[in-house]
Amino acid sequence: MRKKSAFVTAAIVIAVATLTNCSKMLPKMIDPNYGVCGPVSLSSAQSVLFAQGNDQFFAIRTASTGLGPYFVSTGCGECHSSDNRGHPFTMLTRFGQTDSTGNTFLAKGGPQLQNACLPGFTSQQIPDGASSSKFIAPITAGVGFLELIPDSAILAMAAANVNNPDGVRGHPNYSSIPPYVTPFANAIPRADGKYICRFGRKAATYDLLQQVATAYNHDMGITSTFMPFNPYNYLDQTAPSSPSIPDVDNTTLNSVVFYVRCLQTPNQRNANDPTVMNGNQVFVNLGCETCHKQTLTTGYSPIDGLSYQTISPFTDLLVHDMGQGLDDGYTEGNAKTSEWRTAPLWGLGLAAGVQGGSYYLLHDGRAHSIEQAIQMHGGEAAESVTRFNSLSPGDRNALLTFLKSL
Amino acid sequence: MKIRLLFTSLCMSLASFLHANAQIDSSLLKNGTKDTAKNALTMDAIYSRPFLKTGKFPVSIGGYIESNWQYTGTSGISVGNQFQFRRFSLFVASSITSKIKFLSEIEYENDPTGDPADAKSGGRFEIEYAALDIELHPLLNIRGGMIVNPIGAFNQNHDGPKWEFTDRPIAMTQMLPDTWSNTGFGIYGKEYTGKWMFGYEFYLTGGLNDSIIDNAAGKTFLPAANANPSRFTSSASGAPMYTGKLSLRNTKVGELGLSFMSDIYNTWAVEGAPVDDKRVAQVYDIDFNTTLPWLRTNIITECAWVYVQMPPNYTQQYANKQFGGFIDIVQPVFRGRVFGWDHATINLAVRGEYVDWNVGNFAATGAKMYNDLWSIMPAISFRPTPQTVVRFNYRRQMQRDITGNTIGAALGLTEGYSLGISTYF
């Protein structure tokens, strides 16, 4: 009897101990330095909205929830895995524009090729005579901070390029903005009514609302009040004659905008490591920092965590001539076909982790290592690449270690 | 709603039936106890359940429940304590004549498919099985009605009280669509010769639909077809689904099952006019179970391959090939009298699982697609009787998305504990 009582007591004690302490025995949170998920500091109400946006960002769209019939991907999270860079399997293709006069293939499905379609529909094709370029999804984390960089700061960075001895001549991409977009309070438009745009590989998108509404429409074939027409395939002759009932409501779409706006910036790792610090100096010495600006400061935001913050995105939000090697013959806004927005480098060291262990860098993932990406730079970056190629093994290693720490 | 009404009225009539008999003489209710751990063949599992009978009344009833507490966390994020009422099943069997039998199973199940879209609708009542069996010869029986397709052993033999784990095998429930039942007809038969038993089943039923490659789970997901509200009345393709199984058992070695399922899953014609190509989904499954004689160690394993023809120019997110399986090893460590139960058993068990939701390589890069998981789940269970189990499980699971990324919702390392009860009644 005593044995049985002892057994029962021990079993109860073990059960209670397990039930009350099981949270301590579960996997720990990932070190935020090694992931790019998570919001900036938010109020309770903002956290609720962020969580709603998070759900919608990673929700999979189906035919019954508006997907297609022509699309590239089935959800935001499919391209922006863990809010980081995309993978070539969700790469998209844009076509039909070669200069600042605009896209001449809008009637044939431009500017974006929806390379996937629902069963029964015909795959879209790039029309004869249209030049094109493939784009891999850029990093999402930190875009809310980039949205808050004042136009004046962008113009100042452009002005500083005027006498650059390496021939760096970055400039803002001025473009028309759609009617549903409200210009920033501190916007500095050009005399022709065009605004400084900053998002996308060609910096042709004005703000995150435009980015999200366009992604829903062009990437998933989902209509909204902002973009009420489905993408269509001119080969199928199924062009809609009037706006459809929105597939996604404004509440949902705005929650996604809020979600991406509030994403935290990627953190640098091992910033105080001597090799990393040396690599940072090499980065500056090579002239990389002329375009990949280490430090920018945001303007005002009603979200405290975004307001007047100093960030390290390693971009100047300007477009630069990258030479013939990266000239695909396609462009957006007033950028030339060889001009690309300086890609933010934050989160670069984490990219391989979300790209299947390999790097797919530059606008179409053609570079499979950081070294390869550097060496594929041309045009305004040619001088820096020449210096990179002359680096001692130690300095080269330090530079790469630094870049992988971002 | 109709199913709820049907279920409610069935429960009420059964309750009144039991009550009426109990008032006369409670001993009329005989417990047709079965040791549910000992099945002749897996295909017999549907009838190999304990039923309550009243004298010579030709109707017997039974059922089971499953309920558990769970605490899991993935990469530091947990939703805390979860109390889950997984299932309540009610069986009604009737011997119309010695060679004509009817059995039905009505089930309440929470989140039966694991599909995020389906989960939001909450639990649901469903007629899982309602079929008439007519025996012409032991090797030739006709079965028709709502049947459980014999794809794999677990789909046929999934009652909660039979298992030492609170969760069903992931490959069998989220890659295969367990429990997968459909309206249809077919034949089955068995033959016994000495140590050997042989069984076969072959059915034509309703089938899958386009949702298996267009669903909120974002992957080729056969269970999505379970959510099709019209699947018991109309077939998406107009073609029958073929399901067949061969079983061979040697009393000393164990039982081997080979099964397949094939279906044109898509709606390829609208009002008679072709709008798409016909596309086929096929499943191949192999299962094996045995009990090692010296240690009484029970081993159950099953693995399956899913092949789905995809539309041209569709996203590779949806796989044309999947593979998954599990192995359970159950070791009784104590048999005897515990707390007044004469035949109580304590088991130690472990389950290993693996699922690759997307077998193959990216067309864009040639690199491997991941979207896979593996899991190991040690368990301890206490069975006061063979029909009732109290089980405690620990799960350690790793999951990657299609690119191999382990950071994100439900990705990375998951660990958790669950304590559950399940019993036939």
Side-chain angles (χ1 to χ4, degrees), chain A residues 226-237:
Chain A
F226 308 114
M227 299 187 73
F229 286 93
N230 258 322
Y232 69 97
N233 184 353
Y234 73 99
L235 295 172
D236 272 350
Q237 292 294 302

Side-chain angles (χ1 to χ4, degrees), chain B residues 220-260:
Chain B
T220 295
F221 192 58
L222 302 192
N226 264 322
N228 174 13
S230 61
R231 72 189 177 95
F232 298 131
T233 54
S234 63
S235 172
S237 68
M241 167 183 267
Y242 303 97
T243 314
K245 186 173 185 194
L246 297 175
S247 302
L248 186 66
R249 183 180 184 88
N250 179 292
T251 51
K252 289 191 173 177
V253 178
E255 179 183 344
L256 175 71
L258 301 171
S259 51
F260 83 98

Side-chain angles (χ1 to χ4, degrees), chain A residues 11 13 32 53 180 189 223 226 261 264 383:
Chain A
V13 168
Y180 61 83
T223 58
F226 308 114
R261 181 171 286 150
Q264 186 55 272
E383 289 299 317

